[in-house]
Amino acid sequence: MSEGRLIVVSNRIPTEAAPSGGLVVALHDALKERGGVWIGNSGKRVDAEETAKGLTRIAETPYERYSFDLTEEEHQGFYLGYANATLWPLFHHRTDLLAVDPDQARIYREVNERVAGLIAEVVQPGDAIWVHDYHFLPLAEALRRRGVRNRIGFFLHIPFPNPSDLPALSERKLMPGWLSAFDLIGLQTRRDVSNALDFLRDSGAEILLNGRLKMGDRRFEVASFPIGIDVDGFIQAAEENADAGEHLRLSPGERLVLGVDRLDYSKGLPQRFAAFGEYLSHRPDPQIRATLLQIAPPSREDVEAYREIRQELETITGRVNGEMAELDWTPIRYIRRNIGREILAGLYRRADACLVTPLADGMNLVAKEFVAAQDGADPGVLILSHFAGAAEQMEAALMVNPYDPGETARAIEQALSMPLHERQARHLSLMQSIREADIGWWTRTYLAALQKPLASPGN
């Protein structure tokens, strides 16, 4: 089969001429090497008549980039509503926060239908289509109805929901058709694959001898492709910004514990703050000073659950600092805005420990970025939740149950008192794991699997 172009579809599309960020750069390089098209939401809100204009070409690159716009109603129903108030909590095992709204579900499907129509206008025979994330679960099915027979792959960057949670989704009976319309469903972890296979089997899918699945006349595959980072790029950024920690004005001997997360209920931030407070209360020497620097830029602040977690974090921060602070020491520094990638790399390098303690996460690249940024001669220690997708690859981290503040507090103490030889050995193991499966490996491996020919009907 001749290799055609690559068509990437994502919710948002980078508009700058030279994209930055690991995933964006990897997709940029794949498109540049193979030729193709990147299609995504511009972020603009327009009148309904303007959406009829179709795709808009943006920045000139070695491949084509096109954006589409949303109306305010579509933004509310498709993005804020169904994608982030229904699918996001469901996929992160928070069915208690799931919003059930038939109008939002309808708008979600309508946007996918419209995007499918736009893709159908540009796709050519031999092209491979790579769809990213939960915003576009019905997209392949909509394309198949339009007669598109190209290879269509899907990658889910967040966890796949537990089969026991899926009955909470009103559209659960549509999900098997959405998934089986893809040729390859890429998930982050083996745990995600197990959940997806359980759900699909319960929905009537047949597991074939060659490892593929059959549902109706569709044959497709579900596999794990843990996403990585640009290791060398992050090492360089950390080395070039090694003085970033000086801006913190830490006192001599003061230890730095770092957290970097979007402000989201899946990240376990209240539990993390409580655990750090418990560490401070029980540290063996009260004269030891450790500061938790938590960087948590906001996301989706117009969703009620996010306003609530913001208030909860501010309350815990005030309580811990009120009880523990000294005139020249603030135990928790909480920054609720974006910090540039280069400065972050330098802060990773300065940190004595990094807390990556989500309650549910697809992968969590902060864990990998922290490891890459370390000075191998004197590395910091990664404290990692069992529920982060990265836990399957990064077994040399200190693993914790984020729901248990005492366990996390003890891990902080262990990290800050760990002897150099143990820190070096753990770091060496972690570096090997992130190098073996970096972002280039992820892109190549997924696209190679997507290009495999379909199994014959008799298999």
Side-chain angles (χ1 to χ4, degrees):
M1 181 177 67
S2 62
E3 187 177 89
R5 303 175 304 168
L6 176 63
I7 297 178
V8 170
V9 184
S10 60
N11 177 55
R12 293 298 297 271
I13 185 168
T15 55
E16 66 274 18
S20 61
L23 172 62
V24 172
V25 170
L27 295 176
H28 172 77
D29 290 345
L31 285 161
K32 184 169 63 174
E33 176 182 340
R34 179 166 167 170
V37 181
W38 193 336
I39 297 172
N41 176 14
S42 67
K44 298 177 183 176
R45 248 70 94 230
V46 300
D47 294 334
E49 309 84 69
E50 293 186 58
T51 63
K53 296 177 181 177
L55 295 172
T56 300
R57 185 162 188 161
I58 56 178
E60 293 294 329
T61 56
Y63 54 91
E64 299 173 78
R65 272 194 274 180
Y66 293 98
S67 66
F68 61 88
D69 302 323
L70 296 178
T71 66
E72 182 60 34
E73 181 187 38
E74 288 174 334
H75 175 70
Q76 293 292 330
F78 161 76
Y79 180 72
L80 292 178
Y82 196 80
N84 287 309
T86 300
L87 294 178
W88 180 272
L90 173 71
F91 282 46
H92 286 87
H93 322 311
R94 289 299 304 272
T95 53
D96 58 311
L97 297 176
L98 184 149
V100 177
D101 188 319
D103 285 338
Q104 292 179 350
R106 170 184 56 80
I107 293 170
Y108 175 81
R109 295 195 297 272
E110 288 174 352
V111 170
N112 272 271
E113 289 287 344
R114 180 158 70 84
V115 173
L118 298 174
I119 296 169
E121 292 177 3
V122 300
V123 70
Q124 299 172 4
D127 290 347
I129 302 171
W130 192 3
V131 179
H132 287 264
D133 234 355
Y134 58 103
H135 311 86
F136 297 115
L137 286 168
L139 191 57
E141 187 180 53
L143 286 166
R144 300 302 184 197
R145 285 198 300 272
R146 285 167 170 77
V148 175
R149 296 291 175 259
N150 300 60
R151 300 280 290 169
I152 307 177
F154 176 74
F155 189 81
L156 183 66
H157 292 263
I158 64 176
F160 194 90
N162 292 325
S164 59
D165 290 335
L166 276 160
L169 184 69
S170 298
E171 294 72 33
R172 63 192 175 278
K173 292 183 179 179
L174 300 176
M175 185 80 77
W178 291 352
L179 296 176
S180 63
F182 292 99
D183 295 295
L184 174 63
I185 298 167
L187 304 173
Q188 295 276 24
T189 67
R190 296 186 297 273
R191 179 174 57 210
D192 292 326
V193 170
S194 177
N195 283 341
L197 292 178
D198 285 347
F199 168 68
L200 289 164
R201 270 194 297 259
D202 290 345
S203 302
E206 176 187 355
I207 308 297
L208 304 177
L209 292 177
N210 57 12
R212 292 181 180 269
L213 291 89
K214 180 178 183 296
M215 179 169 282
D217 60 354
R218 290 289 308 159
R219 285 171 169 76
F220 60 105
E221 186 175 356
V222 179
S224 169
F225 299 89
I227 195 169
I229 65 168
D230 175 8
V231 176
D232 290 328
F234 218 84
I235 290 173
Q236 181 179 348
E239 291 175 346
E240 291 176 351
N241 295 274
D243 61 349
E246 295 176 7
H247 298 295
L248 301 174
R249 294 187 173 88
L250 300 175
S251 59
E254 187 172 338
R255 316 305 298 279
L256 177 63
V257 180
L258 185 63
V260 179
D261 310 81
R262 284 187 307 102
L263 187 59
D264 189 277
Y265 51 75
S266 68
K267 301 300 183 181
L269 298 183
Q271 292 86 349
R272 182 183 305 174
F273 281 27
F276 188 73
E278 184 158 335
Y279 157 73
L280 292 176
S281 298
H282 295 91
R283 63 194 190 278
D285 182 355
Q287 300 304 311
I288 294 175
R289 289 186 174 183
T291 294
L292 171 61
L293 172 61
Q294 177 63 57
I295 298 167
S299 63
R300 313 182 193 106
E301 284 196 291
D302 36 7
V303 176
E304 178 62 27
Y306 293 87
R307 290 194 292 268
E308 291 176 359
I309 192 171
R310 171 185 167 182
Q311 293 169 358
E312 185 176 6
L313 290 177
E314 291 171 352
T315 298
I316 298 173
T317 300
R319 176 176 57 77
V320 173
N321 286 341
E323 292 175 358
M324 300 288 182
E326 303 288 350
L327 291 176
D328 58 348
W329 172 53
T330 303
I332 297 180
R333 301 191 192 183
Y334 170 36
I335 299 177
R336 198 171 54 83
R337 59 181 175 81
N338 280 302
I339 300 295
R341 180 174 178 270
E342 291 74 18
I343 299 299
L344 274 181
L347 292 175
Y348 284 138
R349 192 171 181 86
R350 168 60 183 84
D352 299 287
C354 185
L355 282 167
V356 181
T357 54
L359 308 180
D361 224 333
M363 177 52 60
N364 198 301
L365 296 181
V366 167
K368 298 185 177 186
E369 291 172 348
F370 172 76
V371 169
Q374 294 308 297
D375 176 359
D378 186 20
V381 179
L382 175 63
I383 301 172
L384 185 60
S385 163
H386 289 290
F387 304 111
E392 284 191 359
Q393 297 174 286
M394 307 183 76
E395 296 177 352
L398 291 181
M399 297 293 182
V400 297
N401 170 13
Y403 292 97
D404 183 345
E407 182 176 315
T408 304
R410 290 189 293 275
I412 295 171
E413 168 61 28
Q414 182 182 352
L416 296 183
S417 60
M418 187 178 292
L420 177 61
H421 68 87
E422 183 180 351
R423 288 189 280 122
Q424 290 174 331
R426 287 177 180 271
H427 178 256
L428 189 64
S429 175
L430 292 169
M431 276 296 292
Q432 182 178 353
S433 70
I434 66 172
R435 279 198 176 279
E436 288 177 350
D438 65 4
I439 189 66
W441 169 89
W442 175 77
T443 310
R444 292 189 303 272
T445 304
Y446 184 92
L447 291 177
L450 181 59
Q451 286 301 124
K452 286 192 302 185
L454 287 168
S456 63
N459 289 347

